[in-house]
Amino acid sequence: MKPEELDRVLSGEADIVPSSGFVASVMEAVTAEASAAPLAFPWKRAWPLAAGFPVLFLWLAVSQIGIGPEAATPGPDLYEWFERIVPMATGWVASGLLMTAAITVWSLRLIRLR
């Protein structure tokens, strides 16, 4: 089909008009959604994590000071732990940044193709 024929066929069609009350019902739904209360934060799921951080910091402090039944044994050497963790964390951070950049470039190319 040639572009002229397509233009001729499409120009003969009637305009599409929404049914009566459609615009009003859509606007009513939008207004109801906008005025609804925001979602509540899921405290029931988040409290274990929030409670775990102070317990972790307290354990680290006690293990460094040497209070309690473990006082005879020295606490963990945080510097040694840091030296072991940093190379692993560096790799994870680098791979995360690389994947983020790759996904961003890929999505931008998809947008440009349209």
Side-chain angles (χ1 to χ4, degrees):
M1 183 175 272
K2 295 180 181 178
E4 294 83 21
E5 293 175 4
L6 185 61
D7 287 340
R8 184 183 50 80
V9 169
L10 292 177
S11 67
E13 295 209 8
D15 290 336
I16 298 175
V17 179
S19 62
S20 63
F22 175 74
V23 174
S25 66
V26 168
M27 289 308 295
E28 183 181 317
V30 168
T31 305
E33 189 68 28
S35 63
L39 294 176
F41 187 78
W43 288 108
K44 290 180 182 177
R45 293 183 181 176
W47 76 263
L49 182 65
F53 276 119
V55 170
L56 173 68
F57 288 128
L58 182 64
W59 175 77
L60 285 172
V62 168
S63 66
Q64 286 299 307
I65 296 171
I67 301 173
E70 304 95 25
T73 61
D77 186 10
L78 293 180
Y79 185 73
E80 178 186 331
W81 176 80
F82 188 74
E83 284 181 331
R84 282 189 290 164
I85 289 295
V86 167
M88 289 188 293
T90 304
W92 282 104
V93 169
S95 63
L97 289 173
L98 183 65
M99 289 190 323
T100 302
I103 290 172
T104 303
V105 168
W106 177 67
S107 64
L108 289 174
R109 284 190 180 171
L110 282 177
I111 290 172
R112 287 184 191 135
L113 290 176
R114 289 184 181 195

